[in-house]
Every structure is written in structure tokens, then in C-alpha cells.
Amino acid sequence: MKTALLEKTVENTIEKLQKLNANEALVSELEWCLGSYRYDQNPAGLIEKSQTAYELLKTKKEENSRAVSQKLLQDLEKITLN
């Protein structure tokens, strides 16, 4: 998995969750996991929290199709499945 794709996707996910005012605890956890990943290069926690974010954003997209881009969901899917 490419580090740049992982980091960029998580940064975009954090930004989107903040814009939607959705689950501030998850935003904090993602930010912490991203910092931890940058320090030790272990993606386990980051991938786990990204899966949670994926499910949340997928639900938001079902509620309002314009709320979340399909590209963000696809990128999240890539990093959580690999």
C-alpha cells in the first residue's frame, strides 16, 4: 500500500467528517492514528478507523448523494481492503 495514498485519503476523510459535523470522536481518533502511523509506519489502527469512517460516510451518501464524493468512498475502500 502506498503511504501517500493512505495519508491523503485519511486527510480527506478527516476533512469531510469535519465538514459534515459527523462523529467528532472518530475525527480525533483518525487524527491520532494518522500521527501514530507517520511515526511508526504501522497502519493497523489507521485502517481500522478508516473502515469505521467508510461505513459512516457511506451512510451519509445514502442519505444525501451529494454529501460525499464517490471517489473518497472508493479510495477508502482501497485502503481498507488491502
Side-chain angles (χ1 to χ4, degrees):
M1 174 185 333
K2 293 185 178 179
T3 299
L5 174 65
L6 178 64
E7 289 185 26
K8 185 67 175 163
T9 300
V10 172
E11 289 169 355
N12 290 341
T13 300
I14 291 169
E15 184 179 315
K16 180 53 74 175
L17 288 170
Q18 288 172 332
K19 283 183 182 178
L20 294 172
N21 292 322
N23 201 337
E24 290 181 29
L26 180 58
V27 170
S28 296
E29 290 170 348
L30 279 168
E31 289 172 334
W32 188 89
C33 288
L34 182 58
S36 175
Y37 171 73
R38 287 176 175 158
Y39 177 75
D40 64 12
Q41 296 297 304
N42 182 352
L46 196 54
I47 291 171
E48 180 182 329
K49 294 302 174 186
S50 293
Q51 289 172 330
T52 305
Y54 172 77
E55 294 300 325
L56 177 62
L57 291 174
K58 188 173 163 186
T59 301
K60 292 287 186 186
K61 184 162 180 72
E62 289 170 2
E63 293 171 3
N64 178 0
S65 63
R66 297 169 77 76
V68 180
S69 73
Q70 187 63 35
K71 175 156 178 24
L72 179 57
L73 289 176
Q74 289 171 342
D75 288 346
L76 273 170
E77 201 171 308
K78 283 180 196 173
I79 66 171
T80 58
L81 294 178
N82 292 331

